[in-house]
Each structure stands twice: as structure tokens, then as C-alpha cells.
Amino acid sequence: MAPPRAPLLRRAAPALLGYAAVRALGLVVLAVWSAARGKSAYTVLTARWDSLWYTRVAELGYGYEVRLPNGDVHSNLAFFPLLPWLERSLHAVTPLSYADAGFMVSLLASLAAACGIFAVADQVYGPRVGICAVLLWAVLPVGIVQSMAYSESLFTALAAWSLYALLTGRWVWAGTLAALAGLTRPVGAAVVAAVWVTGVLSFVRDRSTTSAPGAHHTEHSPAHTLGAPDGTHAPALTPGAHASIAPFAPSAPAWHRALGMAIAPLGAAGYVFWVGRRTRKGLFGYLDVQAGWRNGFDGGYAFARFVADKFTSFPSALAGVGLIIGVALLLWLYVTGIRRRQPVALLVYTGVVLALALCASSYFGSKPRLLMPAFPVLLPLAGALARLRTSRSVLVTAVLAGAAAIYGAFWLNGSGPP
């Protein structure tokens, strides 16, 4: 009989400490860089770009819009309501301003996201890979956004814990967290899709198991495929195991699964319907709001044009090559996840996040930020990092953390929005 595992929070403690250290480094470098340029790092984090739109919603509600000289209309209806609601609630019970409340929500949400990422990776591959996954998420080049009064950290936290709930058979929790994710960002559809696809496959599995002669139900124990807790290579999932459906989840009653599936889309659908009613344009109201921001879904055509345009001159051609390499790396990591039989919930979620980010028709400079919630693509890299000696993995992480801190400070002190 295997010894009982330590509580999740205790297992996640090293990952959270490492995450906090990386984020602290990023904030210190940002503060120094901003001060050298005569700017306030805190203002950059809390009162510029999207942060201003969120705090305006928190303070004044919806209805504010900006009409640009070219005729475009930027409406704050484009921003989903959960982050502003939390900012307003925290402002109401504390002396914090709306901007301060947004920063505090982001700070706490980033820690919750780090813990959720650890929980998912630990459940699938073990605690060592979980720690490495969290650290890799922290040292992303755009990781400084995790400390901004933006909604990425909040969304990633809700998505990660919803996926963890799916992997452990907590369907009502999975659906509830998916609904909250749907109130946070349009990409909440990715979490809803993960719940629905996993749910449908679970019912298909039940039906095939019930109808098969002599069929009996077996529960699968965790099988770590990338790295064991001691850093050694653990055995892969055995062929025929339902690894692609819900590999480690105990059986759940059908009504639990159905209820979770029913709850999951309520957040996103509720807000989209509300916007449609407010704009008097029905189901297309939110799409019209996004069109006012020149944002839409074109299958990646505009992004491909953007990359192609980089090759009109030599200096920008280097950026074009970098973009192609970056996209190819993302796709390779995603395919690697498929080949290593990641649970279908992770594959569906990641696939939708990647598709929505890469195939959006505008805000190309923001795509790295929009890709940040796709943390499962980091799991193959986390497995490779986990197999290194501890001293080497620490060195690699430290170098990446320093590079990310410098890039983040440079990025946020630029002219354009992240």
C-alpha cells in the first residue's frame, strides 16, 4: 500500500516560493528600469492600457466608449465583468483604490494560478514536473503581465483549477470554475470546451463499457510519463488506458457530470446575451463590440499577413523569422502533448486557446500575452527540465528569470500596450 501523499498546498510550497521569487525579481527590475526613465512602475502595472478600462468599469459600470477619428468605437463592453466586479468588491471593503484593488486581485490570482498549474502537472506527471511547470510559466518573456491589473492571471487561475477538477472527477466544481472563467475573458470558451468534450467522452465511455460483454469498471491510478518525483523517467501510460478522457478521475455519477456541463457555459453565454440585449443587436452584439476594436476571428489570415510584411526589410525580417520560430515551437509542443497522451481536457483547452490567440485578426503585439494561459504546452519542457540535475535546473531557471525580468521591464516601458 502506497504511503499517503502530503496535502496539495504542502507539495506546491516549493513551486509557490520559486514563483514568488521570480515575480519579485521581475518587479524589482521593472522598478529600477522605470525609475531610470522617469516613470512609475506601479502606474505602468495598474493605470495604463487595459487596466484603465477595467478600473473604469469597476468605478462607473458599463456604457463608456471612445470614438476614434477613423470612425472606430472602443466600448468598454469588450471587457468581461469578473475582474471589475472583484475590484469593486475589494474597494468597497478596504481603503484600496480601484487600481490598487486590481493590483491586489492580480497578485493573489497569480499565486492561485501558480498553485493550479502545479496541481494539474502534479496530477498528471508528479510534483517535480509540477514545480518546473510553475517556474517555466513564471519565466515566460511576458510573465510580467502576471503582476499587472489585467485579467490573464485571474483567468489562468480559474482555468487551471477547473482542469484540475476535471482530472480529479469534481465535475460541479469544474463547471462552476469554467463559468467564472467565461465571465473573465472571451477565451473562457476554451475551458467550457474542455468540460464539454471530456463530459461527452465520459458518457461515450460509460455506454461502451456497459454494452461490452463482461465489461467492468476499473479506476486508473496516476501514471507519470515525463518525470517521476525523484527526477527519473517514469513509465508511460499503458496502451488501452483511458488516458485521453479522464485518466486519474474517480468515477462520478452521471448527474454530476451533466450538471457540471450545464453550468460551464453560463458565464460566457450570460454576458454575451446581456451585451446583445444592451446593444439591441441580439447574439451578434458582442461581435459588433469587438468589431469596433477591429478585433475578430479570421483563421489566422491577418496574422499571416502581419508576419509576411516583416520580410519587406532586413531588420524587420529578423522579427519575422522569430515569429515563425515561436509559432512553430508552440505547435510542436502541442503536438508533443498529443503524442505523449495528455488528458483530452488539457488538449482541448490548449488547442482552443492557441486557435483563438493565433487566429485573431488584430492586436498582434498582444498575442504573446493572449497565449500565456495556454500553460499545458509547457509540460513537455517541464518534463525535460525535471530530468536535469537540481543544480542545473536551478541554473537554467535563474538565467531565464533574469532574461524575462529584463525583457518585461523593456516591454512595459515601450510605447505600445502589452
Side-chain angles (χ1 to χ4, degrees):
M1 182 176 179
R5 303 181 80 192
L8 177 60
L9 190 58
R10 185 181 302 173
R11 300 199 306 275
L16 295 178
L17 290 173
Y19 177 80
V22 173
R23 289 273 48 83
L25 175 64
L27 293 174
V28 169
V29 173
L30 175 64
V32 173
W33 192 298
S34 300
R37 294 176 58 88
K39 296 181 179 180
S40 166
Y42 191 69
T43 298
V44 170
L45 293 171
T46 62
R48 290 188 70 187
W49 306 300
D50 289 8
S51 299
L52 289 175
W53 287 91
Y54 282 119
T55 55
R56 188 175 284 116
V57 173
E59 183 176 5
L60 304 174
Y62 285 104
Y64 177 82
E65 62 184 28
V66 175
R67 294 185 177 272
L68 303 183
N70 65 357
D72 290 345
V73 178
H74 287 186
S75 168
N76 64 359
L77 290 169
F79 295 87
F80 276 49
L82 185 57
L83 177 58
W85 286 349
L86 293 175
E87 290 177 345
R88 181 183 300 174
S89 300
L90 191 56
H91 169 76
V93 299
T94 67
L96 297 175
S97 68
Y98 291 105
D100 294 340
F103 180 72
M104 185 58 65
V105 170
S106 182
L107 176 66
L108 296 175
S110 67
L111 291 172
C115 193
I117 292 170
F118 172 85
V120 170
D122 173 51
Q123 180 70 18
V124 182
Y125 299 121
R128 188 175 177 90
V129 175
I131 293 171
C132 292
V134 170
L135 294 176
L136 288 176
W137 191 68
V139 302
L140 289 174
V142 296
I144 190 65
V145 174
Q146 297 161 17
S147 299
M148 297 181 70
Y150 274 35
S151 59
E152 273 77 12
S153 289
L154 177 61
F155 173 79
T156 305
L158 294 168
W161 284 108
S162 179
L163 293 172
Y164 177 73
L166 276 179
L167 294 176
T168 54
R170 298 172 172 90
W171 284 85
V172 177
W173 272 111
T176 301
L177 292 167
L180 292 173
L183 284 171
T184 307
R185 296 187 62 80
V187 74
V191 194
V192 177
V195 173
W196 270 75
V197 172
T198 306
V200 169
L201 289 177
S202 74
F203 283 115
V204 171
R205 177 191 61 188
D206 286 353
R207 184 172 180 178
S208 62
T209 302
T210 302
S211 60
H216 62 278
H217 177 75
T218 59
E219 294 182 2
H220 304 291
S221 60
H224 306 148
T225 62
L226 292 185
D230 61 356
T232 60
H233 188 70
L237 288 168
T238 56
H242 294 292
S244 62
I245 297 178
F248 317 132
S251 59
W255 73 271
H256 280 194
R257 285 175 274 163
L259 181 58
M261 293 172 66
I263 294 172
L266 295 182
Y271 182 68
V272 168
F273 285 137
W274 180 80
V275 171
R277 183 171 182 179
R278 184 181 177 97
T279 59
R280 298 182 180 180
K281 295 182 179 179
L283 295 176
F284 299 100
Y286 186 75
L287 296 179
D288 286 347
V289 169
Q290 287 286 4
W293 287 80
R294 291 185 177 265
N295 199 16
F297 187 88
D298 65 357
Y301 174 75
F303 184 48
R305 287 280 305 272
F306 173 77
V307 174
D309 289 343
K310 294 293 182 183
F311 291 91
T312 57
S313 64
F314 174 72
S316 63
L318 296 178
V321 172
L323 287 171
I324 292 174
I325 293 174
V327 172
L329 176 61
L330 282 173
L331 297 179
W332 177 78
L333 288 172
Y334 183 64
V335 171
T336 299
I338 296 174
R339 294 178 61 187
R340 292 185 176 176
R341 305 186 67 186
Q342 281 186 8
V344 75
L346 303 188
L347 295 175
V348 171
Y349 167 76
T350 306
V352 176
V353 172
L354 294 179
L356 292 178
L358 295 176
C359 297
S361 60
S362 188
Y363 296 97
F364 305 114
S366 297
K367 287 192 183 295
R369 168 173 66 87
L370 301 179
L371 288 164
M372 194 168 61
F375 67 89
V377 298
L378 299 173
L379 294 180
L381 296 178
L385 187 62
R387 288 193 291 270
L388 296 177
R389 294 179 182 272
T390 300
S391 59
R392 291 183 180 180
S393 62
V394 169
L395 178 60
V396 170
T397 303
V399 171
L400 293 175
I406 293 171
Y407 178 78
F410 167 78
W411 191 41
L412 291 193
N413 279 279
S415 58

